[in-house]
Amino acid sequence: MGELFPVDLGASFIHGIDDNPISKEAKKAGSKIVVAPENVKMIGEDKVEISEKQSDKIRVIYGKLVAESLKLVRSKKDNNHRCQPGSYNLIRWYASPFCEAEYATKKKIRYRRTDVDSKRYKEYDCTANYALGKAVRDGKAVKYNKLTQEDKRLIGWSIQNDEYSDNACLTTQSALHSMTEDNNDYSGRHAYIQQGYSRVVDNIFRNCQEHSQFEIFFNCQIKRIEYARDGPPTRNKKGTKSKGKIFFSDTCRVISADNVKHDLDFVVCALPLGVLKESEWRKESGGIKFEPALSKLKIEAINALGFGCLNKIVLQFQNAFWRKTFLGSDTYSFGNVTGLHPQYYFFYDIGYLLAEDKNNAPAILVTMVSGKDAVKIEACKDRKVILEVCEVLTFLFTEESVPKKPIRYKITRWGSDRFSRGSYSFLPPGSSPHDYGILSEPSNGNGDSHNLEHKETMRLFWAGEHTNEAHPATAHGAMESGVRAAEEV
């Protein structure tokens, strides 16, 4: 089979390499950063490459439709889409079916739809799907009925790409927040880490162990976090509270599923938002419990924010049949615009991109599925998913010898993974970037946090991409939040 080749199953991109903390940590770890080419070869129904001219034309049209959608939201002239209480009973958590008892027995996908307090809605916000549909119906930017079927499929491809970016369907995304230019990234080109993200994480762990008293507990599932326990304080040996120090005490306790107790001075909670949503939903029947209960503001933010689902299918073949058709130094990916299994809309040749020796690059393709489609493949058996993907490849490359199945494959299932319950956050109607700020605020012994100006000693601190108002839904945002939490402690 040859040597093992690293492929990230979770985060893989560095979103903007200029001044990105992930770029800096990757260099410290001795990892090579590989810039991702931006060109995507689009293959249409006739199994030939769609011209760059046609692709560019549709890209401009779609950009105009998005711009008109934003005008609709901001103009405040259309009273038909005003937010009303109960009007946005949305999927805010795509992994919710996997927490239903019915799913475990019948494999039936049933989403938990939730609304939020009517005061949370911006009066003229709406779903991205509504705003885009209105722009199309009004004939904004283009007469949609005059487009060819291939043009319409190209627009559908662009929608799939936007849904991948937010790992959620347009029917659940806020037009006010999600259809604006992506400001979560740093400047510069997007890139991959050649040896994978794990090398960066391992290097950070090694540095922690070398420079501090650092202990890692593996396979330690947590069921309870207490952060206001009564206990005698222990004076800090280096000073007193009056000199800017605080008393140490076993005010916090973390209890594992097998009832092992860890008494601590502080806790930094970096649980994914999906796990926090499940804990809030299943207060009486499982999930992680907080004692005291979290503040109302925090619970509202947890419920209001969206947590989507993005899954990868990684396939390794005996030979790279797709490279015989096209492959250049500026291209490593191709788009499926045929209409066949459109959820597998994008493929990239990670083996060629990251290989040092391009002539002997392993034949490894990756495709990604987001939103409801990502949940559906989690409910399917591997055989069905691989069969569908191979059907797409066979249809795209009919003149090549396409194997019936890969020699190796891996399908991620982040929604049903109980330690993640999804992929990363997004903003539905009824939420705002301010919710990320609320989730970042430390908590005191009363469960309160917001606007306390840190006059009280905080014991519970928060990290994770969903706590970074400036860079949510990114790996660098998650890392920055951890640094911020450490500084707060």
Side-chain angles (χ1 to χ4, degrees), residues 297-358:
L297 275 175
K298 264 205 171 27
I299 292 172
E300 285 182 351
I302 289 170
N303 290 332
L305 284 171
F307 201 62
C309 195
L310 175 70
N311 282 312
K312 293 182 180 180
I313 300 107
V314 184
L315 309 104
Q316 182 175 8
F317 294 93
Q318 197 70 47
N319 60 80
F321 54 87
W322 59 91
R323 294 180 196 156
K324 298 175 185 177
T325 304
F326 58 79
L327 191 68
S329 59
D330 64 339
T331 306
Y332 79 110
S333 57
F334 53 91
N336 169 25
V337 198
T338 65
L340 177 65
H341 301 313
Q343 66 270 31
Y344 310 113
Y345 81 104
F346 176 71
F347 293 81
Y348 60 97
D349 188 346
I350 197 68
Y352 183 84
L353 180 70
L354 297 185
E356 285 282 3
D357 181 2
K358 302 298 185 187

Side-chain angles (χ1 to χ4, degrees), residues 237-256:
K237 294 180 180 178
K238 295 183 179 180
T240 64
K241 189 173 182 179
S242 61
K243 293 182 180 179
K245 305 291 182 180
I246 66 170
F247 289 121
F248 287 153
S249 69
D250 291 334
T251 306
C252 301
R253 173 174 285 178
V254 174
I255 305 173
S256 66

Side-chain angles (χ1 to χ4, degrees), residues 24-88:
K24 297 174 183 177
E25 290 299 328
K27 291 175 182 177
K28 289 179 185 177
S31 296
K32 182 179 179 181
I33 295 174
V34 180
V35 173
E38 296 180 351
N39 290 350
V40 179
K41 298 284 187 180
M42 296 293 196
I43 305 178
E45 188 178 24
D46 54 2
K47 302 160 188 146
V48 298
E49 182 185 344
I50 295 172
S51 70
E52 192 172 325
K53 181 179 179 181
Q54 185 181 3
S55 295
D56 288 344
K57 180 190 78 171
I58 298 303
R59 192 177 300 114
V60 170
I61 289 173
Y62 183 69
K64 288 181 178 178
L65 285 172
V66 170
E68 291 296 332
S69 302
L70 284 171
K71 283 183 183 178
L72 166 71
V73 174
R74 292 169 177 168
S75 68
K76 302 184 179 182
K77 292 179 181 178
D78 180 12
N79 294 331
N80 294 325
H81 78 276
R82 287 187 175 187
C83 289
Q84 300 293 336
S87 61
Y88 287 109

Side-chain angles (χ1 to χ4, degrees), residues 361-377:
I364 302 175
L365 278 177
V366 179
T367 186
M368 297 172 293
V369 185
S370 63
K372 285 186 175 181
D373 289 327
V375 175
K376 285 178 183 177
I377 72 166

